Amino acid sequence: MDNLIICVGRQLGSGGCEIAKLLARNFDCKFYDRELINLAAERSGFTPRLFERHDENHGALKTFFGPITGLWERINGGFYNSSISQESLFQIQSEVIWKASNESSCVFVGRCADYILREKAGLFTVFITADDDDRIQTVAARLGCDMDTARKYIRRKEEERASYYNYYTSKQWGASQSYDLCINSSLFGQERTAEIIANIIKERFVNIYGRGW
């Protein structure tokens, strides 16, 4: 039996990260969100800032490097026998995710982990949504901005997330057919949402393997 792997996709302001932490605590799993950036940087020797610019944002790398990519390639002979590319960075992060999933049970937030680990027997994928007004209020409070600014920020960031996910997975970000479960945290609150998801996960693996976590 493989480790338990929970992959959480989320709308901005839905509380998805907090719910993922509750799931990790419930199942005694390791939790990975932005920690993956530092692990990928350590593995590759590149600066974490490079991975941060690429983080769930397909198309950012050209803006970050611009004309210096060719210079880097001439000096270092390229990376993976080519220039530094977003695909190279995605491959590094994928290897980090795969390695972590082999070492222990894990909860991953975003970063296409559901696709990278799609062959894992112990995988459960969930997407967290919330009502738009709730999400806008949450983001406005987090950023200390007005509602209109928060609405525009959500739209821009979610366009980036969707582009990144759709590009690397050939699936549709946030679409119900892309996940085992989609749930609206506005209906239940974060703690109850995490409890519902945990119960579904336990029941799923008892039904399939005759055991749960």
Side-chain angles (χ1 to χ4, degrees):
M1 183 66 185
D2 287 354
N3 293 322
L4 174 63
I5 307 298
I6 305 171
C7 294
V8 179
R10 72 287 184 218
Q11 285 188 306
L12 198 64
S14 66
C17 184
E18 291 75 14
I19 291 167
K21 289 178 181 177
L22 290 170
L23 289 170
R25 190 178 309 152
N26 186 302
F27 289 102
D28 194 24
C29 293
K30 288 192 175 180
F31 173 82
Y32 293 99
D33 184 11
R34 294 184 62 82
E35 293 84 356
L36 291 169
I37 292 174
N38 291 330
L39 290 173
E42 290 174 6
R43 180 180 181 88
S44 65
F46 291 123
T47 172
R49 185 169 173 235
L50 174 58
F51 288 92
E52 288 171 358
R53 289 297 297 266
H54 176 251
D55 190 34
E56 295 191 297
N57 181 9
H58 184 258
L61 191 61
K62 291 181 181 178
T63 303
F64 181 73
F65 273 100
I68 73 167
T69 302
L71 176 61
W72 178 280
E73 187 173 15
R74 289 195 298 274
I75 293 173
N76 294 281
F79 185 68
Y80 289 160
N81 300 317
S82 180
S83 60
I84 302 172
S85 68
Q86 291 194 317
E87 282 66 30
S88 298
L89 298 181
F90 182 78
Q91 178 63 29
I92 294 168
Q93 187 164 271
S94 297
E95 291 171 359
V96 168
I97 289 170
W98 191 264
K99 183 174 184 293
S101 72
N102 285 336
E103 292 176 346
S104 67
S105 294
C106 302
V107 175
F108 294 99
V109 177
R111 295 164 184 85
C112 301
D114 59 323
Y115 178 76
I116 294 164
L117 303 175
R118 62 193 181 279
E119 302 299 330
K120 291 281 189 179
L123 176 67
F124 188 88
T125 65
V126 57
F127 190 84
I128 311 295
T129 68
D131 294 346
D132 286 348
D133 288 346
D134 291 342
R135 298 195 300 119
I136 292 167
Q137 290 176 13
T138 296
V139 171
R142 183 188 304 163
L143 299 180
C145 63
D146 59 56
M147 304 289 277
D148 188 55
T149 300
R151 183 181 296 105
K152 292 176 181 177
Y153 178 81
I154 289 171
R155 184 183 305 118
R156 176 175 61 83
K157 295 298 290 185
E158 292 195 342
E159 285 175 354
E160 292 173 358
R161 282 184 183 176
S163 176
Y164 180 91
Y165 183 88
N166 297 350
Y167 177 82
Y168 285 111
T169 69
S170 299
K171 299 195 294 182
Q172 185 177 353
W173 181 81
S176 59
Q177 63 267 26
S178 298
Y179 310 90
D180 295 321
L181 174 69
C182 295
I183 188 166
N184 186 336
S185 62
S186 291
L187 298 178
F188 308 105
Q190 292 179 12
E191 291 190 5
R192 178 59 180 153
T193 297
E195 182 181 344
I196 291 169
I197 296 169
N199 288 338
I200 292 172
I201 291 171
K202 292 171 184 177
E203 183 172 344
R204 172 182 172 83
F205 290 111
V206 166
N207 288 341
I208 293 177
Y209 302 108
R211 57 153 285 189
W213 275 270

